[in-house]
Structures are given as structure tokens and as C-alpha cells.
Amino acid sequence: MRIRNLFAVVMMAGIYSLLSAGLFTIMDAVDVAFTEAAVGAGISTVLFLGALALVGHHERKPGHTPLLPLIVVLVTGGALVYGTMDMPPYGDPGNPVHHHVADHYLEESPHEIGIPNIVTAVLASYRGYDTMGETTVVFTAAVAVMLLLARRPRRPEEEEDEA
Amino acid sequence: MREQVIVRVGAKVLVPFIILFGLYVHFHGDYSPGGGFQAGVILAAAFVLYGLVYGLDAVQRVLPPAFVQACAALGVMVFAGVGVLTMFLGGNFLGYGVLAHDPEHGQHYGIIGVEAGVVITVFGVMVSIFYLFAGRGRRSG
Amino acid sequence: MTLLSHYNYWVVILLMMVGFYTMISRGNLIKKMVGLNVFQTSVFMLYISMGKIRGGTAPILMDAHGESSETAHVLYSNPLPHVLILTAIVVGIATTAVGLALIVRIKETYGSIEEDEINQIEAEGAA
């Protein structure tokens, strides 16, 4: 956080993303790790670099002291740590999250869907509505970026109409 | 980066394999990790790599901006179209069982269909966002 | 041992604190976006770690048709959080792109991406 050069910040963020992809693999989420490696370490870094090329890569020294944000963050973190005391332990098969619909997906999807990758089965079939919504969100984001960036930057000397 | 021989040749060799891998990830997504979102991102990464190394004009000759924007919209339409198709065939919206005689095969076809929609949208969106950022820099700078 | 069994949450909370602190203490908008991404990844990790079962394996069935998957006694991790996070990552990158596009426009309008400089320009414009 003390690095002033934003290029270094973005490259560190890319490395962090790749490491978190490794962590997802350890926690058995191979599909998620795959996506994180492709999206977080690949496309996201390229987008950040593209934005940096447009806005400049040097950060000015912040004027105010970071004391208040630090207190806020520590209080939030402390409250959350207190909250975890009631959470189920890590890796326990008896956790409530595993006994609502996950059992159904794991046991019935071979007969109902017939494809081995359960993540794909749930994504495209059981939760098809969700995925359609997500696809629409991604499309909407592209439209928003187009609205923001597709027009020529307004300069007094570039008043001729757009191609 | 345009005068670096190793980068130029390396990128040219890699791009077809990246595209092939992206298609593999899509069509083999039923059996191994992968699926529409990853495949779309990998396909987009191939063209982003080409654009980074050879310049925006070169990649836009291969893939015009209008085409990728149309892709982004087309994918959502394919996804919803599969849903509407199953509805017309007498099933529920996005209930793929009616697409074939055997409901299990119907599920296969339906999943490949909607995943294809996801691939097209994600690919179109990612490439067109890249075009917008890169094109903005060229115009204003 | 019961205390250590919650370490996944603490890692997530630590990451979240790093991201949150970056977001609220830095004036640079690009750095805020990086902080937001760190924050986002911490939420992904929370979900994925809840789906993990000790001794489980990735939720891809061992045989193609699933006839003997019950008899094989393979323990799979919970696929549901994976699905949710898979789509969340892609939506996350899309929203990041929108944020970056907004930053680019702010830079073009104000000539700066530092929050306090923008506030200063705004104040001068209003006065």
C-alpha cells in the first residue's frame, strides 16, 4: 500500500490473483480457480494497464493521516472475528451449508443431467435463470463501458463529427 | 512492443493454440473443469494478446468492433433463445429435457446451447471493452 | 483446536480488512479499484472455504454415467458455492471495467484521479 507507482500496484494485484487461484484449487474449486486465473490474472490486469495508460501511473502522496480509516477497519475486523465464533468449523461435512440442496445436486444430477462436472450442471441447468441474469449483467456492463468510452474525447480543436 | 522479434513470433505461434484451448474448454466443460465463462475469457485473451503485440489496427482488421459488439448481444439472445425454444417445445423456460427424446440427451444439448451463448457474450464483451480502452488511448494520446 | 478450526474466516477477514483499508484510506481512484478487487476476492474465498469438505475432492464425478457413484463412496466438496462464485468473478471483472471507464472519464474531465484534488476543483467551481 506504500507503493506509489501504480504499475507496480497493478502487477502485484495480478500476482495476488494468481495466488488466490492456487488457493481455490486447494479448496477443491477447480472451476473457480480456472476462472480466477483467466479473469483476475489475465484480462483484469490488461484492463488496469489500459486504464493506467490513460490516466497516468503516479500516485500523489495522500494529504491526510490514515488513522481514522485504520480505526474503522480494525473495529470492523474485530466485529467480524467476534462473529465467526458462531460459524461452523472449516471442512466439517456436517455443516449446514452442505445439507440443503447440495445433496440433491450431488446425488441426483448424474441421473437427471448425466454430465460429470456438477458445477457445469448446476450452472447451466439447475440455475439456468441465474446464469442468464449474469450473462445479461455482463452484457449491460459492456454497454455501460461503450456509453462512457466510445465517444471521442471532447477537445475544442476536434469539433468535426465522428466517423 | 512491435519491434521485439521474440514477442511477435511467440504471440503468433500462441494465438491459434489459445483459441483451440478455449474451444476445448467450452466443449469439454461437461467432463472437466471449464465452461462458458472460462472459454469466453480465454478466447478473448487470444485476441487481446494479438492486439497488444501487433497493435489495435491489426486485430481490428481480423475482428471489427461492430462484430464483437454484435457478439455480445447475440450471446444473450442465444441463451434466451434456448429458453424460448424449450418453451415452444412444450417444456418450461430453460427446461432442456424436451430438446431430445431422451431427457438426459436433451440436457446435454441444452447445456451446450446456453454455454455457447455464454461464450459468445463473454468473448464479445471482453474484446469490446479491450478495444474501447485501447482505442481511447490512441485517440487522445 | 476448536479455536483454530475457524482460521479460514480469519484469513478472509484479514484480506477484507486490507482491501477495505485500501479503499477508504487512499485518495487515488485506481488504488481504490485494486482495493475493491482484494475485497471482492476475500468474499470469494469466504464462499469457497465454506464449500470445502475435509477429505473431499473436486465435484466432478468419477465415472461418466454415475451408475456407481454412490457405491464408490467418494466425498465431493459442495458445488453450489463454486457456481455462485464462478459467475460472480465474471460479473466482478465487468463491473471493474465499468469503474475503470468512469475513472478514465473523470481524468478527462478533471485532469486528476486524486479524490481531494477533484473535491478542490469542485469547490472552486461552486464558489
Side-chain angles (χ1 to χ4, degrees), chain B residues 11 31 41 67 72 91-92 107 111 116 120 124 126-127:
Chain B
Y31 300 98
V41 172
F67 175 75
N92 291 326
Q107 291 282 354
I111 286 174
I120 296 168
M126 292 302 163
V127 175

Side-chain angles (χ1 to χ4, degrees), chain A residues 4-7 10 46-60 149 155, chain B residues 132-134 136-138 140-141, chain C residues 27-34 96-114 117-118:
Chain A
R4 294 263 175 272
N5 189 341
L6 291 175
F7 271 120
V10 169
V46 170
L47 286 185
F48 268 110
L49 290 178
L52 279 188
L54 295 175
V55 300
H57 62 269
H58 193 75
E59 186 199 19
R60 222 169 39 83
L149 289 188
R155 294 275 173 82
Chain B
L132 288 167
F133 275 99
R136 191 83 173 175
R138 193 183 48 181
S140 56
Chain C
N28 187 294
L29 295 176
I30 293 273
K31 238 178 203 186
K32 275 183 194 286
M33 288 304 291
V34 174
T96 303
V98 176
L100 289 173
L102 279 170
I103 292 173
V104 169
R105 289 300 297 261
I106 288 170
K107 168 75 176 178
E108 283 169 1
T109 309
Y110 291 95
S112 167
I113 51 167
E114 302 286 340
E117 282 178 13
I118 294 169

Side-chain angles (χ1 to χ4, degrees), chain C residues 34-47:
Chain C
V34 174
L36 186 66
N37 272 354
V38 174
F39 199 136
Q40 208 176 18
T41 315
S42 79
V43 177
F44 298 161
M45 268 178 204
L46 171 68
Y47 272 67

